[in-house]
């Protein structure tokens, strides 16, 4: 059997096309097809959907749907329909004006801020746009450095480059999120921000990351795209750093297909994010929220959220607690089943109670064992894989080549930018973890019978690892 050569993130974030429903971000389009991926897909490891067609072994148990599916769309009902109908009936799909009185995006922002426990929320077109707003809010630009996890989604890298700043990668640890010790090592006098990404449903070690950042006068952006509804020590993710961002793309939790949000407690940061998202303008609604404008206008983009998006998200937000509770129940069942098995170590969880239960994650001794384990699990229709949905960025060709939209782009023209070396070997700890980790997804609508079946398979396959 041919398996993808390491690192798994190199060009092919694990197995995107195989199991789109298992991934956080959409499959990146325009990526060159990789031979190793094709070999991978035609080998024994096909996605759960493919295996459902021709089940093997234990998978012969009929009627069990082990495909995790998509989270938010599994909860679509009358609420989304009614909200969308209101937009349609009032013929007012634009947030600021129209023939009717548009109110969906505004209402969503206010409900989202309340839910997250922050003063201000801004709806935008995507999580990527939200990150660009966060960089603009913090005034990050040429000559600045931003620390980004080596394993995360592209947007955490592209927002830094789009700002003209230099991305500096830090290792992840056994939490599959930023290693605070490596972050401390990577801070220089030029570091302006750390993007703390709560990855694969699990919060980062915010106590340590915030302490490291505060001690050095560095801002913290919380990227909660893969952890919407998660918390850290009782506070909602996104509310602890200087700025929080979220994605509502279909592979996350609540969704309108696309969408994003920026939150903060700081009126100046909010104003700059708002201005950047709306060509530099600060409209009356926002002046009311922050008690007037404080910041001068500057050139921005148009990342305004539409009313249909706000309508769907408003309805979805009312179900977020239920989604998270459902996911947590299934993930807890899998973790309970894995507990005490020899030869594997469960993912480190900086705050297990705050994890949204995207799946169960564990580490085995080496790459060959991991690949065998994943193959055996998938043969039984268990939605297992290496970690998915992100990219091992320092190993990516476009990153190594420091390619931006223009050859003279400022990110890589400073002495530090010129001296910067990327490559898989610059983050060996992350590469090693990506080789050894197994991810088992859960679906929000799994039944107890599915949970029991998955645990049975996990104990059967993983029980022999030690
Ligand atoms: C999906 C994702 C984003 C970007 O969100 P989009 O809405 O797809 O632009 C950013 N960061 C992380 C960690 C993500 O998973």
């Amino acid at each position: 059997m041919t398996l993808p050569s390491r690192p798994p993130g190199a060009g092919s974030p694990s197995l995107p096309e195989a199991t789109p429903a298992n991934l956080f971000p959409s499959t990146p389009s325009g990526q060159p097809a990789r031979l190793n991926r094709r070999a991978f897909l035609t080998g024994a490891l096909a996605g759960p959907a493919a295996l459902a067609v021709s089940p093997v072994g234990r998978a012969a148990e009929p009627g069990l749907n082990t495909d995790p599916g998509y989270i938010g769309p599994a909860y679509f009902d009358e609420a989304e329909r009614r909200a969308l109908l209101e937009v349609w009936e009032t013929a007012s799909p634009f947030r600021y004006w129209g023939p009717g009185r548009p109110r969906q995006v505004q209402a969503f922002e206010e409900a989202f801020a309340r839910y997250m426990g922050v003063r201000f929320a801004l709806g935008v077109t995507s999580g990527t746009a939200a990150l660009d707003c966060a960089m603009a809010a913090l005034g990050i630009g040429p000559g600045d450095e931003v620390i980004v996890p080596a394993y995360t989604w592209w947007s955490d890298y592209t927002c830094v480059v789009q700002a003209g700043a230099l991305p500096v990668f830090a290792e992840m640890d056994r939490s599959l999120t930023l290693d605070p010790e490596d972050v401390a090592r990577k801070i220089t006098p030029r570091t302006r921000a750390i993007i703390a990404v709560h990855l694969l449903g699990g919060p980062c070690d915010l106590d340590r990351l915030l302490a490291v950042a505060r001690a050095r006068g560095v801002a913290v952006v919380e990227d909660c795209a893969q952890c919407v509804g998660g918390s850290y020590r009782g506070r909602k993710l996104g509310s602890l750093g200087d700025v929080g961002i979220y994605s509502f793309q279909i592979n996350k939790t609540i969704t309108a297909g696309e969408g994003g949000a920026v939150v903060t407690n700081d009126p100046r940061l909010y104003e700059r994010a708002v201005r950047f998202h709306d060509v530099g303008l600060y409209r009356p609604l926002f002046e009311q929220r922050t008690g007037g404008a404080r910041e001068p206008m500057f050139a921005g983009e148009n990342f305004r959220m539409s009313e249909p998006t706000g309508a769907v998200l408003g309805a979805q937000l009312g179900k977020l607690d239920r989604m998270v509770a459902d996911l947590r129940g299934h993930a807890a069942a899998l973790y309970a089943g894995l507990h005490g098995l020899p030869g594997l170590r469960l993912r480190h969880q900086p705050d297990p109670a705050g994890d949204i239960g995207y799946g169960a994650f564990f580490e085995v001794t080496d790459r060959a064992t991991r690949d065998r384990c994943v193959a055996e699990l998938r043969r039984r229709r268990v939605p297992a894989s290496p970690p998915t949905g992100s990219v091992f960025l320092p190993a990516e060709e476009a990153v190594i080549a420091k390619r931006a939209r223009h050859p003279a782009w400022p990110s890589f023209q400073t002495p530090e930018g010129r001296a910067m070396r990327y490559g898989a070997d610059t983050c060996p700890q992350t590469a090693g973890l990506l080789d050894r980790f197994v991810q088992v997804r859960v679906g929000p609508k799994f039944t107890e019978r599915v949970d029991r079946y998955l645990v049975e398979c996990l104990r059967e396959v993983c029980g022999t690892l030690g």
Side-chain angles (χ1 to χ4, degrees), residues 49-372:
L51 280 166
V53 177
S54 55
V56 213
R58 304 291 304 251
E61 185 165 344
L64 270 194
N65 185 1
T66 60
D67 181 352
Y70 298 91
I71 301 165
Y75 296 80
F76 276 7
D77 62 17
E78 270 307 301
E80 285 79 3
R81 188 183 142 85
R82 253 184 281 117
L84 273 173
L85 262 176
E86 187 181 319
V87 175
W88 183 71
E89 280 163 359
T90 58
S92 301
F94 178 61
R95 71 169 292 181
Y96 296 128
W97 56 75
R101 193 175 300 150
R103 56 177 199 95
Q104 303 288 348
V105 176
Q106 179 176 342
F108 170 68
E109 286 173 343
E110 284 155 16
F112 196 74
R114 267 196 309 279
Y115 181 91
M116 292 300 168
V118 292
R119 290 180 68 192
F120 310 112
L122 173 69
V124 294
T125 46
S126 70
T128 305
L131 281 162
D132 289 337
C133 289
M135 293 294 109
L138 292 165
I140 286 165
D144 298 334
E145 295 174 8
V146 178
I147 297 177
V148 174
Y151 182 66
T152 185
W153 185 237
W154 278 105
S155 320
D156 294 303
Y157 165 81
T158 60
C159 72
V160 180
V161 176
Q162 293 299 59
L166 181 65
V168 175
F169 292 114
E171 300 271 22
M172 70 181 187
D173 60 21
R174 299 194 58 265
S175 69
L176 305 181
T177 67
L178 275 178
D179 177 348
E181 270 173 43
D182 198 46
V183 169
R185 277 192 291 271
K186 298 281 164 71
I187 292 182
T188 76
R190 294 166 300 281
T191 308
R192 291 285 313 282
I194 296 166
I195 306 184
V197 184
H198 306 296
L199 208 74
L200 291 163
C204 324
D205 191 338
L206 275 178
D207 278 346
R208 288 173 68 200
L209 288 171
L210 287 169
V212 165
R214 301 284 188 250
R216 308 288 294 269
V218 170
V220 172
V221 175
E222 286 181 74
D223 178 344
C224 316
Q226 299 192 8
C227 224
V228 184
S231 60
Y232 184 77
R233 302 202 190 286
R235 292 166 67 187
K236 285 288 191 297
L237 296 178
S239 69
L240 292 99
D242 297 278
V243 183
I245 74 95
Y246 307 82
S247 166
F248 310 122
Q249 187 263 346
I250 191 170
N251 295 91
K252 324 290 171 155
T253 49
I254 60 170
T255 187
E258 297 276 13
V262 184
V263 302
T264 182
N265 286 309
D266 183 325
R268 285 181 192 278
L269 294 181
Y270 186 64
E271 182 175 341
R272 286 182 57 86
V274 169
R275 286 191 181 280
F276 188 70
H277 111 294
D278 194 6
V279 300
L281 300 175
Y282 202 57
R283 298 182 195 256
L285 163 70
F286 301 106
E287 288 204 25
Q288 278 164 30
R289 283 183 185 165
T290 58
R294 297 168 176 82
E295 297 284 319
M297 182 170 174
F298 63 97
E301 298 278 353
N302 172 4
F303 296 145
R304 294 185 303 253
M305 182 179 279
S306 77
E307 286 287 286
T309 297
V312 173
L313 290 175
Q316 286 261 288
L317 184 60
K319 303 165 186 171
L320 179 53
D321 283 340
R322 218 166 82 216
M323 292 180 198
V324 171
D326 289 347
L327 289 169
R328 278 178 180 158
H330 302 299
L334 296 201
Y335 273 127
L338 285 164
H339 194 80
L341 288 180
L344 60 83
R345 294 170 78 196
L346 303 181
R347 176 187 190 179
H348 170 62
Q349 295 178 295
D351 180 4
D355 194 294
I356 66 165
Y358 184 69
F361 302 81
F362 56 93
E363 185 187 8
V364 297
T365 49
D366 53 67
R367 165 97 194 219
T369 307
R370 194 277 303 275
D371 292 341
R372 230 177 340 105

